[in-house]
Amino acid sequence: MIYVSHSLPVNDGTGPQLDRDQVWDGLVLKADNALPFVPAMTDCVITERHDEHCFDRDIEFRSQRFTERITLEPKHRVIFTRIAGPVLGTIANEIEESTNGELFLRFSFALLVRD
């Protein structure tokens, strides 16, 4: 099992100041179509919608095919659960907020490489 987690400030002073709603909208866009956000991904197609907060998609990432189940926890977290492919596990993109209101994005990976 490989586990990595890293947090980055949303508003670092170099670009527009984003609020939680804007960050969430960006995470939803990435969940629907990650191609503009993940350069190593060459294909991303939603294959089934289970409800408004859960859907499956097929992706190609670094020449490997995966199926992911996407779970949206509104304005908080998007969970990508790999349900088919050579690397299984979960990836989470989470909005965090400090006590002084500063926003952060946490990217966490818990992955199991087959063989």
Side-chain angles (χ1 to χ4, degrees):
M1 176 75 71
I2 299 167
Y3 182 78
V4 176
S5 184
H6 187 68
S7 182
L8 298 169
V10 170
N11 297 307
D12 63 3
T14 62
Q17 296 294 299
L18 302 177
D19 63 23
R20 180 179 287 269
D21 289 338
Q22 292 168 315
V23 174
W24 177 251
D25 289 346
L27 289 178
V28 171
L29 287 172
K30 182 180 175 218
D32 284 340
N33 178 16
L35 295 179
F37 302 92
V38 183
M41 190 177 293
T42 55
D43 192 34
C44 183
V45 177
I46 294 174
T47 57
E48 184 176 358
R49 290 202 179 267
H50 302 286
D51 60 41
E52 67 179 304
H53 297 118
C54 184
F55 58 91
D56 294 347
R57 71 181 190 184
D58 288 341
I59 65 167
E60 185 170 314
F61 181 77
R62 295 189 175 147
S63 301
Q64 295 181 316
R65 302 289 302 171
F66 299 92
T67 299
E68 296 179 322
R69 176 149 300 145
I70 312 302
T71 305
L72 305 174
E73 297 176 9
K75 298 190 183 182
H76 176 63
R77 175 176 37 219
V78 179
I79 301 170
F80 306 83
T81 303
R82 295 254 176 100
I83 57 177
V87 179
L88 301 179
T90 60
I91 300 167
N93 296 176
E94 184 172 6
I95 303 170
E96 298 178 329
E97 190 169 344
S98 69
T99 55
N100 66 355
E102 188 177 1
L103 294 175
F104 294 86
L105 266 177
R106 177 168 299 280
F107 300 92
S108 301
F109 303 81
L111 302 172
L112 179 63
V113 179
R114 289 184 176 182
D115 301 329

